[in-house]
Amino acid sequence: MKEEQFEMVAKTLYGLEDVLADELKELGAGEVKTGRRMVSFTGDKAMLYKANFCCRTALRILKPIVEFKADNADAVYQAVKQIEWENYLSVDKTFAIDAVVYSESFNHSKFVAYRAKDAIADYFYEKCGKRPSVRINNPDLYIHIHISGDDCSVSLDSSGESMHRRGYRVSPTEAPLSEVLAAGMILQTGWHGESNFVDPMCGSGTLLIEAAMIALNIPPGIFRKEFAFEKWPDFDSELFEEISSDDSEERDFNFKCYGSDNSPVAIDKAMKNIKNAGLSKYIDLKVLPFQQYAEAPQPGILVTNPPYGERISTDDILELYSVIGERLKHVFSGYNAWILSYREECFDQISLHPKHRIKLMNGELECEYRCYEMFAGKKKEFKSAANPAEDV
């Protein structure tokens, strides 16, 4: 018998919508459509489990259960109370509500969540004289309410803790790169392990770990202790076991990931995280300031997230970006070098013309992700070698 198909929504970071859409199509999702910081798609229970376990650029997977119009919190209360909650929850279980509101009609998302909580509690009290409890941390059911204008949707959050929390990071540096953003940055380059991977300012090693996992095709959910759907009444443990223990898609990685940083403390933390992820065999680390790079493994790609200047003086940060440009030209011939930053004056110091520019959000910062195509000799000679017919 064919499993029931239903709509799902995968939330992501701004700029990663198309990457996530490609991931979902690759998994076999149907009706894939991109929106702002989200991708909607259809599938069955197996697809819900796969999306959680395998998507590198999703933050959470939602299963919408009802949509309605409302222009105040009381209208939300009435609509939420109409849902047949016994299909998803029982009085002896706990729940938590997260509300996201983009509407002038509602003053506060917390008040929407509060009224929705009342609706669920009252629903059960009127039916059986008892109320389920609210529990902020690790509840039995996560409920997500999204309001845009007067369009409201109520969804079950199948992920629970954000999917960027892979579970391998035991020793972060200050303000580490999100695992989801790191994976998205790598996937946007088109690299899947066909060459060496270099991050010369690797911090706690997030880009290196995500790169090794992509190269080996290890699913990001492998380190997670649990997903929220495992507490749902219809959870199929055999189906999830089949999905989570299937290693048939894993592949060999015949190159290496090389990471360095000028901070011994950062390299020590990166080593701990890499060891925890079981990837030490594939990643080489060393303490090395970028200006001391004298050679680069060939063939290769460089992806890095240099400091932006929050904790470094302006003069020093501009000098660093000048060094980046100089080392790229002299050491990294044949590479595509991808750099994430948010300051135009920093990019100016690199003194190279980017091949690609992509807008991305790193936390609250609107950043740009630029690709520099590095070649030996003069650009004209490089183009002639690549396209000999053009010289005729």
Side-chain angles (χ1 to χ4, degrees):
M1 194 175 90
K2 196 174 178 191
E3 276 273 356
E4 173 209 356
Q5 301 280 308
F6 49 87
E7 186 193 348
M8 289 168 266
V9 172
K11 307 290 281 183
T12 190
L13 299 171
Y14 173 81
L16 300 183
E17 297 90 349
D18 290 340
V19 181
L20 177 54
D22 288 343
E23 284 197 88
L24 288 163
K25 287 173 191 169
E26 186 86 16
L27 287 175
E31 298 179 49
V32 178
K33 294 179 191 135
T34 58
R36 187 176 172 84
R37 302 186 188 216
M38 56 79 73
V39 180
S40 65
F41 62 103
T42 58
D44 57 10
K45 193 185 289 185
M47 178 52 59
L48 179 103
Y49 295 173
K50 280 183 192 171
N52 273 285
F53 195 72
C54 300
C55 283
R56 301 179 194 282
T57 55
L59 292 167
R60 60 187 66 254
I61 309 296
L62 305 175
K63 181 183 180 182
I65 55 173
V66 69
E67 293 179 355
F68 55 89
K69 299 275 187 186
D71 57 8
N72 62 71
D74 287 335
V76 172
Y77 171 92
Q78 293 299 337
V80 170
K81 203 175 168 194
Q82 297 300 312
I83 298 168
E84 295 179 350
W85 284 107
E86 63 268 26
N87 293 332
Y88 315 109
L89 187 64
S90 59
V91 288
D92 58 339
K93 300 289 186 184
T94 58
F95 71 98
I97 296 182
D98 171 46
V100 176
V101 179
Y102 303 102
S103 174
E104 292 178 5
S105 305
F106 296 84
N107 295 326
H108 215 295
S109 59
K110 283 212 167 106
F111 188 59
V112 170
Y114 179 76
R115 290 300 280 143
K117 172 191 72 74
D118 283 350
I120 296 169
D122 291 350
Y123 175 91
F124 279 101
Y125 191 74
E126 287 171 19
K127 285 227 167 196
C128 49
K130 285 178 71 184
R131 294 180 170 91
S133 301
V134 173
R135 186 175 172 186
I136 304 302
N137 297 315
N138 200 26
D140 295 307
L141 187 69
Y142 289 88
I143 300 161
H144 181 83
I145 297 177
H146 186 275
I147 299 176
S148 179
D150 63 353
D151 293 320
C152 308
S153 67
V154 177
S155 305
L156 306 182
D157 179 350
S158 70
S159 308
E161 189 174 40
S162 172
M163 288 160 62
H164 84 275
R165 297 184 185 278
R166 307 282 203 237
Y168 61 69
R169 192 146 67 186
V170 289
S171 192
T173 48
E174 193 176 344
L177 195 66
S178 156
E179 294 90 327
V180 161
L181 179 57
M185 286 167 61
I186 297 161
L187 292 173
Q188 278 176 320
T189 72
W191 183 88
H192 286 88
E194 308 82 355
S195 67
N196 294 297
F197 182 95
V198 178
D199 179 1
M201 288 165 274
C202 69
S204 59
T206 308
L207 277 164
L208 298 168
I209 294 170
E210 293 294 326
M213 288 172 67
I214 288 167
L216 295 158
N217 207 25
I218 296 170
I222 200 87
F223 306 107
R224 286 270 294 216
K225 288 190 172 66
E226 66 174 0
F227 293 94
F229 62 74
E230 293 179 61
K231 292 182 178 179
W232 289 6
D234 68 346
F235 175 56
D236 186 333
S237 57
E238 284 184 17
L239 176 61
F240 183 53
E241 173 66 26
E242 192 181 312
I243 290 165
S244 60
S245 60
D246 179 10
D247 59 3
S248 62
E249 297 296 314
E250 290 182 17
R251 52 180 178 245
D252 292 334
F253 178 33
N254 299 315
F255 295 95
K256 272 207 164 179
C257 297
Y258 294 90
S260 60
D261 201 282
N262 66 352
S263 163
V265 173
I267 291 296
D268 184 55
K269 289 182 175 184
M271 276 181 177
K272 286 176 183 164
N273 293 331
I274 290 161
K275 186 179 179 184
N276 194 48
L279 296 169
S280 303
K281 175 183 171 186
Y282 304 99
I283 301 172
D284 276 6
L285 288 174
K286 59 184 164 186
V287 178
L288 183 69
F290 194 34
Q291 56 264 43
Q292 290 179 18
Y293 261 75
E295 59 182 350
Q298 295 289 347
I301 184 172
L302 182 149
V303 180
T304 196
N305 171 43
Y308 303 153
E310 275 68 35
R311 294 177 298 278
I312 303 176
S313 76
T314 302
D315 287 346
D316 287 346
I317 206 78
L318 294 178
E319 173 62 25
L320 170 64
Y321 279 80
S322 176
V323 164
I324 290 171
E326 187 269 333
R327 286 293 85 188
L328 290 181
K329 280 185 269 196
H330 289 95
V331 178
F332 289 89
S333 332
Y335 270 58
N336 277 340
W338 291 81
I339 294 169
L340 182 72
S341 186
Y342 87 106
R343 292 189 173 189
E344 191 68 37
E345 64 266 35
C346 290
F347 281 124
D348 289 345
Q349 292 298 312
I350 293 175
S351 298
L352 294 167
H353 185 70
K355 180 183 177 185
H356 300 295
R357 298 177 173 204
I358 300 168
K359 294 269 188 238
L360 292 175
M361 294 296 293
N362 184 5
E364 299 299 311
L365 297 176
E366 187 177 313
C367 294
E368 208 166 79
Y369 188 39
R370 295 190 184 183
C371 172
Y372 299 96
E373 190 174 27
M374 308 312 300
F375 42 84
K378 294 183 178 163
K379 189 169 185 179
K380 190 175 175 187
E381 291 166 9
F382 173 74
K383 283 194 164 174
S384 297
N387 302 292
E390 289 182 9
D391 293 342
V392 179

